[in-house]
């Protein structure tokens, strides 16, 4: 059986759901398909920045639909020398940082897309694609059904099976080698139960010589567990496993979580694809648009990807609704919108990565932060994407540093960290 849609979205994570919700609200006939059945496990640090939270609010998400959602008010940062700097999040009304299990968050977004009018198919894997420069894109699935749509949004993750199928088929729109680079970063994550109160009172990020230019994190959730993990550059497999074990045994982690903490199995790892400026964002003359991890949209400095996924999914949907008559114009508008919204920010993020590549750079940066309350407050807002990354090198934007804009969900702020 073949069904027709205006747009088919493959992948129901934050990027795919943002696209489906935006398109459905614009009156498009949308199919949202995912190989998993929700709720499903998803590897992630579970942290949500100010930008991500504002986009979730704009989509209509109610945080009460996310059981593990927990707002944060402060970030503790530890330098390679052991210096601790506390960065308070913005005191204005609303939520400027939060933690939520992706299992809960993604399931809530799928249900929101369904309520907004998107057709949702779970436990359905895309196994074939035909994308010509003219005519609809045809997709086939493992349940023997087929779909054709004027546009397809590929939100199918870091390894993007859709991109691999298009490449193997020699579909027009790009060289066969496009986007086949290995992800630069990899992260490990486990959940910890029974952690000490210090681990539950604030978000923690720490830098050690063996992790640089990466970092470790400890993020508390509403269910009393802690998301504990590391984000590092890719290394040979055994070296990564040893790095994870040494992190768990480090004095800082053992003192933070305490002797009663229980590491919940299984340990999870996932790639973090960065480099949206170098990614091919469209295929088939503009009929296929890549978003989220499939577009390598994660932030090169923090590895944050949820906010960037929401941004790219929304931009792809708006490009389609604004110029659906012309795939070429859709592609051009989407590429330009991504460049303007993420390009300069990610360029600066890469520079910051270089600053934290050595213990000396990391210690120096945190020493400067410790000396100024103004810097601590505004760097926290900058890290959590309340400000665009590029504001650091655009003096004309600095008056925004004194602006007290509300955070997300200001009308009904959920419970806060103690």
């Amino acid at each position: 059986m073949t069904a027709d849609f205006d747009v088919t979205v493959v992948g129901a994570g934050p990027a795919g759901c943002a696209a489906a919700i935006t398109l459905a609200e614009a009156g498009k006939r949308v199919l949202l398909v995912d190989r998993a059945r929700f709720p499903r496990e998803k590897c992630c640090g579970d942290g949500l920045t100010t930008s991500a939270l504002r986009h979730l609010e704009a989509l209509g998400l109610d945080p009460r639909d996310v059981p593990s959602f927990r707002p944060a008010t402060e970030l503790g940062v530890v330098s390679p020398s052991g210096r601790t700097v506390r960065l308070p999040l913005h005191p204005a009304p609303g939520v400027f940082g939060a933690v939520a299990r992706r299992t809960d968050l993604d399931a809530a977004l799928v249900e929101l897309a369904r309520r907004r009018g998107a057709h949702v198919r779970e436990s359905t894997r895309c196994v074939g694609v035909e994308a010509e420069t003219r005519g609809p894109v045809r997709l086939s699935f493992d349940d023997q059904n087929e779909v054709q749509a004027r546009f397809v949004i590929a939100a199918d993750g870091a390894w993007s099976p859709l991109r691999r199928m298009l490449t193997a088929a020699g579909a027009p729109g790009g060289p066969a080698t496009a986007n086949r680079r290995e992800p630069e970063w990899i992260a490990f994550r486990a959940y910890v139960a029974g952690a000490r109160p210090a681990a539950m009172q604030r978000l923690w990020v720490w830098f050690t010589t063996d992790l640089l230019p990466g970092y470790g994190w400890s993020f508390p959730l509403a269910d009393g567990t802690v998301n504990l993990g590391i984000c590092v550059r890719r290394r040979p497999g055994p070296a990564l496993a040893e790095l994870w074990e040494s992190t768990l045994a480090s004095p800082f982690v053992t003192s933070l979580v305490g002797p009663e903490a229980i590491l919940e199995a299984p340990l999870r790892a996932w790639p973090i694809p960065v480099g949206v400026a170098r990614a091919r964002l469209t295929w088939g003359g503009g009929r296929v648009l890549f978003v989220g991890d499939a577009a390598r949209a994660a932030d090169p400095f923090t590895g944050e990807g949820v906010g960037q996924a929401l941004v790219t999914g929304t931009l792809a949907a708006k490009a389609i609704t604004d110029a659906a008559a012309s795939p070429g114009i859709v592609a051009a508008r989407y590429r330009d919108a991504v460049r303007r919204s993420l390009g300069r920010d990610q360029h600066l993020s890469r520079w910051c990565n270089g600053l934290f590549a050595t213990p000396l750079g990391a210690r120096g940066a945190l020493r400067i932060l410790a000396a100024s309350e103004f810097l601590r407050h505004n760097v926290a807002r900058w890290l959590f994407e309340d400000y665009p990354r590029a504001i650091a090198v655009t003096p004309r934007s600095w008056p925004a540093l004194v602006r007290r804009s509300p955070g997300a969900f200001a009308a009904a702020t959920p419970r806060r960290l103690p």
Side-chain angles (χ1 to χ4, degrees):
M1 181 180 71
T2 300
D4 292 338
F5 292 89
D6 295 319
V7 186
T8 297
V9 182
V10 180
C17 286
I21 292 166
T22 303
L23 288 161
E25 289 180 338
K28 301 296 182 182
R29 181 172 167 79
V30 185
L31 171 65
L32 177 63
V33 60
D34 197 286
R35 64 184 181 180
R37 179 165 294 281
F38 291 79
R40 57 93 172 92
E41 174 73 353
K42 177 67 176 180
C43 292
C44 186
D46 295 340
L48 296 172
T49 64
T50 310
S51 172
L53 291 164
R54 285 186 173 132
H55 279 93
L56 290 170
E57 182 182 36
L59 290 172
L61 180 75
D62 186 337
R64 291 171 295 188
D65 293 334
V66 185
S68 55
F69 187 95
R70 187 173 185 174
T73 57
E74 186 177 80
L75 170 67
V77 184
V78 183
S79 81
S81 65
R83 176 194 294 267
T84 298
V85 181
R86 293 184 178 179
L87 305 180
L89 301 187
H90 201 19
V95 184
F96 289 84
V99 187
R101 286 184 185 253
R102 285 287 301 279
T103 302
D104 298 334
L105 177 64
D106 291 9
L109 285 172
V110 169
E111 287 307 307
L112 180 59
R114 185 179 276 118
R115 292 198 303 270
R116 294 298 167 83
H119 299 263
V120 179
R121 293 186 192 173
E122 302 176 54
S123 301
T124 304
R125 185 190 299 269
C126 180
V127 295
V129 57
E130 297 178 23
E132 304 296 335
T133 54
R134 296 181 182 275
V137 182
R138 288 178 286 277
L139 300 172
S140 55
F141 300 97
D142 59 358
D143 60 2
Q144 309 305 311
N145 288 318
E146 294 184 351
V147 165
Q148 62 180 22
R150 283 184 51 77
F151 295 93
V152 168
I153 294 179
D156 52 346
W159 304 113
S160 187
L162 260 180
R163 189 185 295 276
R164 292 204 305 270
M165 286 186 280
L166 288 166
T167 299
T177 57
N179 247 59
R180 296 182 65 180
R181 293 181 299 275
E182 291 288 311
E184 298 177 21
W185 297 86
I186 192 164
F188 287 79
R189 180 270 284 155
Y191 289 106
V192 173
R196 281 178 170 169
M200 302 302 301
Q201 289 170 351
R202 63 184 55 86
L203 309 177
W204 287 96
V205 166
W206 62 91
F207 300 93
T208 59
T209 301
D210 54 348
L211 294 178
L212 292 175
Y215 63 92
W217 74 78
S218 171
F219 296 163
L221 290 143
D223 59 9
T225 60
V226 170
N227 183 313
L228 183 70
I230 59 173
C231 175
V232 294
R233 287 199 179 276
R234 289 183 64 90
R235 310 176 190 187
L240 284 171
E242 292 167 6
L243 186 58
W244 171 250
E245 293 299 328
S246 67
T247 298
L248 293 180
S250 68
F252 174 75
V253 172
T254 54
S255 65
L256 179 65
V257 300
E260 304 300 320
I262 300 172
L263 196 65
E264 296 183 348
L267 168 69
R268 301 284 186 177
W270 73 100
I272 301 177
V274 300
V276 69
R278 305 189 305 274
R280 178 165 290 278
L281 299 178
T282 65
W283 215 288
R287 296 192 181 277
V288 181
L289 309 179
F290 294 91
V291 298
D293 280 352
R296 307 180 67 90
D299 182 76
F301 182 41
T302 64
E304 150 67 6
V306 175
Q308 288 75 8
L310 295 167
V311 168
T312 53
T314 302
L315 291 177
K318 288 183 175 179
I320 291 172
T321 58
D322 291 345
S326 171
I329 294 177
V330 167
R333 289 189 177 181
Y334 175 55
R335 290 193 297 263
D336 183 62
V338 171
R339 179 187 59 79
R340 286 185 284 106
S341 62
L342 298 179
R344 287 193 304 172
D345 288 356
Q346 295 210 353
H347 181 74
L348 186 61
S349 286
R350 284 189 174 276
W351 181 88
C352 292
N353 230 326
L355 178 64
F356 278 77
T358 66
L360 180 62
R363 288 196 302 267
L366 293 179
R367 187 178 297 115
I368 293 171
L369 281 182
S372 169
E373 181 180 353
F374 177 81
L375 281 178
R376 289 195 299 274
H377 172 72
N378 284 290
V379 166
R381 295 182 68 183
W382 182 82
L383 282 173
F384 276 76
E385 299 172 347
D386 188 13
Y387 304 141
R389 286 278 188 266
I391 197 173
V393 292
T394 53
R396 291 182 180 179
S397 304
W398 289 356
L401 295 175
V402 298
R403 190 178 62 224
R404 295 177 62 86
S405 302
F409 313 115
T413 302
R415 58 190 178 279
R416 286 190 169 275
L417 289 176

